[in-house]
Amino acid sequence: MSLDLETIKVAHRLSATNRTLVSESKECGCFHCESVFSSSRIDEWIEETQGSYSEAPDPFTAVCPDCGIDSVLGDACLYPVTDPAFLHAMRLHWFGEEEAA
């Protein structure tokens, strides 16, 4: 899947301070390890305490239960977060060519 740069950037912004979106989601995808999982599996959150994210109404960011990286998107964000091609395209842009965990 080829994504345009604007789509990649907007989707990426939704991976930060995303506790509300994740709580409204049934499934999530991690664009670091490319795993798909139930939102109920998320049990770790990073509290954003610096920069513009710290001023968000709910400054907590989901951590992937499989790889421990804060690259989680919930299906409530309306991107195809369970589509392996979408997750792979996001990973290639943000993490490069290395193998998924």
Side-chain angles (χ1 to χ4, degrees), residues 29-30 32-33 35 37 42 44 62-72:
C30 174
H32 180 262
C33 69
S35 66
F37 46 87
I42 296 173
E44 185 177 352
V63 174
C64 176
D66 293 329
C67 71
I69 304 296
D70 58 343
S71 301
V72 175

Side-chain angles (χ1 to χ4, degrees), residues 39-61:
S39 62
S40 65
R41 286 194 52 216
I42 296 173
D43 61 5
E44 185 177 352
W45 301 89
I46 296 170
E47 183 175 8
E48 305 294 348
T49 60
Q50 298 179 359
S52 61
Y53 289 132
S54 67
E55 298 172 15
D58 189 0
F60 290 89
T61 297

Side-chain angles (χ1 to χ4, degrees), residues 85-99:
F86 173 79
L87 294 175
H88 187 70
M90 290 286 292
R91 183 182 65 79
L92 286 177
H93 181 81
W94 294 107
F95 296 102
E97 294 288 338
E98 79 272 3
E99 292 291 316

